Amino acid sequence: MCGITGFFSFHPQSESRLSKITQSTDKLFLRGPDCGNVFSDNKVALGHRRLSIIDTSNAAAQPMSDVSGRYVIVFNGEIFNYQRLASEKLREMSSSQGGFKTTSDTEVLLYLLIHYQEKCLPWLSGFFAFAFYDKQEQTLLLARDRYGKKPLLYYNEDSYFAFASEMKSLLAWDIPKDIDYTVLHQYLQLNYIPQPQSILKGCSKLKPGHYGFIHANGAFQEKPYYDITIRREAYQDYTYEKAKEVFIQKMDAAVQERMIADVPLGAFLSGGIDSSIIVALASRYTDQLNTFSIGYKDNAFFDETSYAKLVADKYKTNHTVFSLTNADFLEHVYDVLDYIDEPFADSSAIPVYILCKHTRRHVTVALSGDGGDEVFAGYNKHAAEWRIRQSSLANTLVNMGQPLWKILPKSRNHKLTNLFRQLHRFAEGSKLGLQERYWRWASFTSSQDAASLICTQLQQSIDYDNEIKWKQYFLRHIQSDDFNEVLKTDMNLVLLSDMLVKVDMMSMANSLEVRSPFLDYKVVDFAFGLPATYKVDNKFKKKIVQDAFREMLPPALYNRPKHGFEIPLLDWFKKELWSLIDQDLLSDKFIKEQQIFDLASIQALKKKLCSANPEDSHATIWALVVFQYWWKKYFC
C-alpha cells in the first residue's frame, strides 16, 4: 500500500516541471511513511511513497527497475496471488538462481508487465493502481483495479501528462485550478463527485477495470480489461442451498488470500453481518485475531459495540473497543477536513478516520466488510426498490399518505422521524421511472434545489446537456426489471465514488491498509450470476449473506436496524459547530465575498436546519462546509 505520482513531458517547454517530482511525492507521505524515492530521466519522472506490507526490505523499495534498467514501475496496492502467478507465468525466473531479487508482489508485477504487457491484468487478484514505464519505447502504461479501490487521478494536455494517487500530489505539478461548476452541481446532489469526473476542469480519474497507454507524442488511450457482467444465463446454475455452499467457499478463499502480510494484521468489527462474517472466517487462519470496534458513548441510537462483542467473544478475538464521546468525534472533524483534497461529504468519513487512527496503533493491515451491501443488496434503498416493484396494498397506503409524510418532521437522527423520512422518499420515488428513482434515492437533494444554492451568475456555467450525458452514463445499466442492474449501478457509482473513496482516504490518512474480501472479483462475479431473489425479497436484504453464515454468527445480529457509521451531525450543527457555519464558512460576509453560492438560499438552508423539520438539510450543510473548507485551502 503506497502512493504514486508521475509526469510525462511531450514538449521541451514542460520538461522543467520534471524537477517537481520530489515535491509531488512528499505530498503522499501519509500513504507511505516508511520510504520515499523518485526516478527521473529527460522525459518521465516517477515518485513513490511506501507503506511496507509484503517484503519490508529495502530491496523491495520503489520505483523498481528490472535487471536491464529498461523498465520502471511505481505500484500502489496488493496482488494477493503473486506467488502463484510467479510460478505459473514466470517459470524461468522462479526456477533460476538469478531470478527474483525480492519476495515482493511488486517485482512479480514488474516482470509480468515486461513479458505480457496489459494482457496480464485479468490475472491479478487484488487492488492496485500503477504506472509502468518503458524507457526504450518511451511509453507509460497506467492501470487501476477492477472496482477502483485504489485511486488514480490524471491531468492530460498538449505538452504533458501528470498523474497521482491524490489531488494534493497532482496539484504539486502546477496543473490549472479551474472549478468545474457542472461537477459542483452534481456534488451538491450526491455529496460526492461521481467518477471519472473531478472538481477541476481537465482532471479525471482512470476508470476502474481500465488501463491507459501514454506515448511520447502525447497520445493517450484508455481501454477496459474488465467489467462487471450480469450473467443471466447462470441464474439457474445453483439452487439456493447450493449457492450458499459455494458462497461460503468463495468468501473463505477470499479471506484466506487476504491474510498474507509481513506486518501485524487485524479486522474491523462493527457488529454488522458483513464484518462479523470476515472475523468468523479470518479466525480460522490465526490463533488470535485482533479486532477493533468504535462505540458512541453519548449516543446509544448509533452504538453497535454490544453486537460486536458477541462476535468477538464467540471467536475469542483480541478485541479492542474505542468508546468515544461527542467531544472525541468533534476533535477529529478538522483532521478530516484538512486531509480531504477534493470535496467529499460523506460524514461517516469522520468515524472511519477515528477507527483507522486507533486501529493503526495496533496493526498495519485491517480486513473490512466493505462492498457487501453493494454486491448483495444490503441497503434500505434496496429493500424499498424491491417493494416498490411489487404491487401491494402497503404500497398503495404509503402513496396515499404522501401529503401527510410531506408535512411531518423528518430527519435521520431518531427512529420516528427517520421513518417519516423513509415513507416520504418511498412515496416520492413511486411516481418516478426506474432510472430517475435510482438517481433521486442516491441523492440528498434534487437537481433544482442544488442549482438554487449556486449564485445566478455561475448557474450559467452549469452545462446541463453535459450533465444529462453523464447521468445517462451513470444509469446506463438500469434498463429492465432485473434487480441486479441496480446493484451493478451501485458498484459503478456509490461504491466507486463514495464508499471506496472514503475508506481509502481515511485509512491512508492514518497509514493503514484496508482489505475487503467481499470485493474479491471471484466473489463479485459469482454474485452477479445469481438471481436477485437470492439477495433481496420482501423480508430480507442481503438474504444469501445472512442465511449462508447464520450458523456461524450470534442470533442477536439478525433482525435489527442497520445504522452504519452515522454521526449526529444535526445536533453538532445546532450546537458545537454552529459558529463554524454561521460565523465562518457559510457566513453572509463570506458568501458575498466568495461569489459562488446564493446568499438567500444559504440563509434559507440554515433556517431549515434549525427548524422542527430539518429533513436532510444537515447533509447539504456538510457538503457546503466541506467545499468551503477545501476552497479556502486551495483558492484563498
Side-chain angles (χ1 to χ4, degrees):
M1 186 69 72
C2 310
I4 62 174
T5 182
F7 190 91
F8 198 153
S9 172
F10 312 135
H11 193 279
Q13 70 183 30
S14 65
E15 288 177 5
S16 61
R17 297 200 194 192
L18 292 166
S19 63
K20 295 182 181 293
I21 181 61
T22 300
Q23 181 183 350
S24 180
T25 305
D26 288 347
K27 294 290 184 181
L28 299 169
F29 176 81
L30 290 175
R31 297 187 78 92
D34 296 332
C35 181
N37 291 301
V38 301
F39 160 86
S40 185
D41 62 14
N42 63 346
K43 286 286 183 185
V44 169
L46 301 172
H48 186 268
R49 289 296 321 185
R50 186 183 186 199
L51 178 63
S52 304
I53 303 292
I54 296 174
D55 188 346
T56 60
S57 72
N58 291 334
Q62 301 178 47
M64 182 182 286
S65 299
D66 72 312
V67 218
S68 72
R70 172 178 169 177
Y71 303 98
V72 187
I73 190 172
V74 285
F75 164 58
N76 170 25
E78 303 289 354
I79 308 299
F80 297 119
N81 61 337
Y82 75 99
Q83 293 171 322
R84 180 173 60 80
L85 289 174
S87 62
E88 291 179 1
K89 305 294 184 181
L90 301 169
R91 289 194 185 101
E92 291 183 7
M93 286 199 64
S94 299
S95 58
S96 69
Q97 291 184 347
F100 293 111
K101 307 300 182 187
T102 74
T103 56
S104 71
D105 53 343
T106 304
E107 189 178 14
V108 173
L109 177 59
L110 172 63
Y111 282 98
L112 284 171
L113 290 166
I114 291 170
H115 289 283
Y116 301 100
Q117 292 286 306
E118 72 278 5
K119 292 177 183 176
C120 73
L121 296 175
W123 306 339
L124 307 180
S125 176
F127 51 93
F128 52 83
F130 66 77
F132 171 72
Y133 178 45
D134 182 339
K135 297 181 191 178
Q136 183 173 306
E137 296 296 323
Q138 292 192 336
T139 59
L140 193 67
L141 169 64
L142 301 177
R144 195 174 179 199
D145 64 71
R146 291 171 176 82
Y147 312 116
K149 201 167 187 296
K150 290 290 99 184
L152 192 58
L153 298 84
Y154 67 86
Y155 185 89
N156 188 24
E157 63 118 87
D158 292 341
S159 65
Y160 67 87
F161 182 98
F163 69 89
S165 297
E166 294 181 356
M167 180 68 79
K168 61 175 71 74
S169 178
L170 193 63
L171 288 171
W173 295 111
D174 285 343
I175 66 170
K177 292 192 297 184
D178 297 321
I179 293 175
D180 188 326
Y181 291 102
T182 306
V183 174
L184 173 60
H185 181 237
Q186 292 177 354
Y187 164 76
L188 292 172
Q189 294 171 65
L190 299 168
N191 277 29
Y192 57 83
I193 294 168
Q195 298 186 35
Q197 299 175 104
S198 162
I199 194 65
L200 299 182
K201 291 178 181 178
C203 180
S204 299
K205 285 102 175 182
L206 191 68
K207 294 174 185 174
H210 280 63
Y211 65 92
F213 266 114
I214 304 99
H215 301 268
N217 62 2
F220 176 61
Q221 301 167 294
E222 186 175 347
K223 296 181 179 179
Y225 68 88
Y226 172 86
D227 188 22
I228 297 167
T229 303
I230 299 174
R231 296 181 297 112
R232 295 180 178 88
E233 73 283 358
Y235 283 3
Q236 306 305 317
D237 285 359
Y238 299 112
T239 65
Y240 186 62
E241 290 304 313
K242 182 62 178 177
K244 288 193 294 182
E245 291 178 22
V246 175
F247 178 43
I248 292 172
Q249 292 166 6
K250 289 186 179 296
M251 281 300 299
D252 184 68
V255 169
Q256 184 181 13
E257 195 173 55
R258 282 158 181 76
M259 298 291 286
I260 181 173
D262 295 328
V263 292
L265 178 146
F268 295 149
L269 182 55
S270 69
I273 296 290
D274 296 343
S275 65
S276 299
I277 288 170
I278 302 304
V279 167
L281 294 174
S283 296
R284 295 176 172 181
Y285 302 104
T286 180
D287 292 337
Q288 192 174 47
L289 181 68
N290 295 303
T291 55
F292 307 94
S293 298
I294 191 168
Y296 297 77
K297 191 179 289 185
D298 294 340
N299 198 321
F301 183 68
F302 293 121
D303 192 276
E304 298 185 319
T305 53
S306 60
Y307 298 104
K309 188 175 185 303
L310 291 174
V311 178
D313 289 345
K314 181 177 178 66
Y315 289 99
K316 298 179 174 55
T317 69
N318 180 24
H319 190 55
T320 304
V321 177
F322 312 120
S323 189
L324 305 174
T325 64
N326 275 342
D328 295 321
F329 282 101
L330 284 162
E331 178 187 342
H332 294 289
V333 167
Y334 290 97
D335 293 330
V336 172
L337 289 172
D338 281 335
Y339 195 80
I340 291 172
D341 56 7
E342 187 175 26
F344 177 81
D346 183 338
S347 61
S348 63
I350 298 170
V352 172
Y353 175 91
I354 297 170
L355 176 61
C356 290
K357 180 177 182 177
H358 287 281
T359 299
R360 183 61 175 88
R361 294 170 181 169
H362 302 267
V363 299
T364 311
V365 177
L367 305 181
S368 86
D370 295 320
D373 287 322
E374 290 81 8
V375 177
F376 291 100
Y379 292 123
N380 289 332
K381 69 175 183 181
H382 294 141
E385 179 63 32
W386 181 266
R387 289 192 182 100
I388 216 166
R389 295 183 181 201
Q390 324 298 316
S391 297
S392 70
L393 176 60
N395 287 2
T396 303
L397 292 173
V398 172
N399 292 337
M400 288 174 60
Q402 172 69 346
L404 178 60
W405 316 137
K406 191 171 183 179
I407 62 173
L408 285 172
K410 295 174 281 293
S411 81
R412 296 172 184 263
N413 277 37
H414 301 285
K415 188 174 182 179
L416 190 60
T417 57
N418 192 41
L419 175 62
F420 296 153
R421 183 188 68 83
Q422 291 171 332
L423 291 170
H424 175 65
R425 284 173 72 83
F426 187 92
E428 185 183 57
S430 67
K431 298 176 177 63
L432 303 173
L434 292 176
Q435 291 188 350
E436 283 301 312
R437 180 166 62 244
Y438 180 93
W439 186 263
R440 184 67 191 95
W441 283 359
S443 304
F444 282 94
T445 191
S446 68
S447 173
Q448 183 178 353
D449 289 343
S452 71
L453 293 169
I454 300 172
C455 70
T456 307
Q457 302 93 304
L458 291 180
Q459 283 186 24
Q460 298 169 8
S461 301
I462 300 173
D463 185 342
Y464 287 102
D465 290 338
N466 192 41
E467 184 173 282
I468 288 170
K469 290 178 184 177
W470 275 115
K471 199 171 173 181
Q472 290 171 343
Y473 169 78
F474 299 135
L475 302 174
R476 66 195 183 279
H477 300 299
I478 301 178
Q479 301 290 341
S480 72
D481 60 357
D482 189 339
F483 198 87
N484 275 320
E485 294 174 351
V486 172
L487 302 181
K488 181 173 180 177
T489 303
D490 269 357
M491 295 286 288
N492 289 326
L493 180 66
V494 183
L495 180 76
L496 170 65
S497 301
D498 184 356
M499 303 305 170
L500 293 183
V501 171
K502 172 179 62 183
V503 174
D504 175 78
M505 190 162 41
M506 296 299 98
S507 62
M508 288 291 90
N510 292 285
S511 309
L512 177 75
E513 176 175 302
V514 176
R515 299 175 176 178
S516 309
F518 276 102
L519 293 179
D520 184 294
Y521 78 92
K522 297 176 287 297
V523 171
V524 174
D525 288 348
F526 165 76
F528 280 93
L530 298 177
T533 52
Y534 286 13
K535 304 169 192 176
V536 61
D537 59 22
N538 286 330
K539 293 183 179 179
F540 294 104
K541 296 170 291 183
K542 221 155 41 183
K543 181 181 176 182
I544 193 171
V545 179
Q546 296 196 53
D547 288 347
F549 292 91
R550 194 173 292 272
E551 292 182 4
M552 295 187 196
L553 301 179
L557 267 62
Y558 291 84
N559 301 318
R560 64 185 184 83
K562 176 184 176 65
H563 292 305
F565 265 175
E566 295 190 48
I567 57 172
L569 261 187
L570 183 61
D571 292 339
W572 290 359
F573 284 161
K574 289 180 176 180
K575 299 171 186 174
E576 293 91 344
L577 294 180
W578 177 246
S579 62
L580 175 67
I581 297 168
D582 196 51
Q583 304 301 317
D584 185 1
L585 298 179
L586 297 181
S587 68
D588 291 358
K589 181 176 182 293
F590 185 35
I591 296 297
K592 288 176 184 176
E593 291 173 351
Q594 185 190 31
Q595 296 184 338
I596 290 180
F597 298 108
D598 180 76
L599 179 59
S601 296
I602 298 296
Q603 290 173 334
L605 187 63
K606 290 194 289 184
K607 186 176 180 180
K608 186 173 185 61
L609 178 76
C610 299
S611 72
N613 187 20
E615 298 188 67
D616 280 333
S617 59
H618 65 289
T620 303
I621 290 280
W622 180 243
L624 290 164
V625 164
V626 170
F627 179 87
Q628 296 292 74
Y629 198 94
W630 169 82
W631 189 88
K632 270 193 168 182
K633 185 164 53 175
Y634 289 103
F635 289 87
C636 280

